[in-house]
């Protein structure tokens, strides 16, 4: 029975239905870091446009956006993937 289960697992891996846990964790970490980096840089890109739409100072808009983006990223950092 154990040999049959091992063959089934090997076949699933060959078909791409199973992946290595360490590789999955590495991929999730890399994707999360890339997304975080995009969000960290977003206020600098969007602040001037949003400030112009609202008629406020761009530097103040960027500061507020950065504060709220950081808070959201802090909340997301608490999420831990369960890859069992």
């Amino acid at each position: 029975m154990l040999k049959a289960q091992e063959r089934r697992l090997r076949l699933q891996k060959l078909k791409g239905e199973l992946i290595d846990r360490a590789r999955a964790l590495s991929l999730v970490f890399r994707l999360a870091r890339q997304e975080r980096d995009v969000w960290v840089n977003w206020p600098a890109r969007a602040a001037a446009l949003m400030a112009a739409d609202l008629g406020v100072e761009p530097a103040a808009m960027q500061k507020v956006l950065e504060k709220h983006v950081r808070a959201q990223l802090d909340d997301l950092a608490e999420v831990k993937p369960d890859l069992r």
Side-chain angles (χ1 to χ4, degrees), residues 6-83:
E6 286 176 347
R7 280 193 299 265
R8 185 172 42 87
L9 289 173
R10 236 187 332 246
L11 181 59
Q12 286 177 310
K13 191 170 183 177
L14 287 172
K15 287 180 172 181
E17 296 170 358
L18 294 178
I19 60 171
D20 180 76
R21 185 175 191 273
R23 184 172 177 229
L25 285 171
S26 176
L27 177 61
V28 168
F29 179 81
R30 185 171 50 89
L31 291 173
R33 174 150 299 173
Q34 287 173 342
E35 186 163 355
R36 183 209 60 194
D37 291 347
V38 168
W39 275 108
V40 166
N41 292 316
W42 178 76
R45 291 192 332 266
L49 296 172
M50 292 173 76
D53 287 346
L54 297 172
V56 298
E57 185 64 35
M61 175 63 78
Q62 183 171 342
K63 187 174 182 176
V64 169
L65 286 173
E66 286 173 351
K67 179 178 110 178
H68 289 288
V69 165
R70 289 280 180 189
Q72 180 67 12
L73 290 174
D74 287 344
D75 288 345
L76 289 172
E78 300 300 318
V79 175
K80 303 292 185 220
D82 183 10
L83 300 176

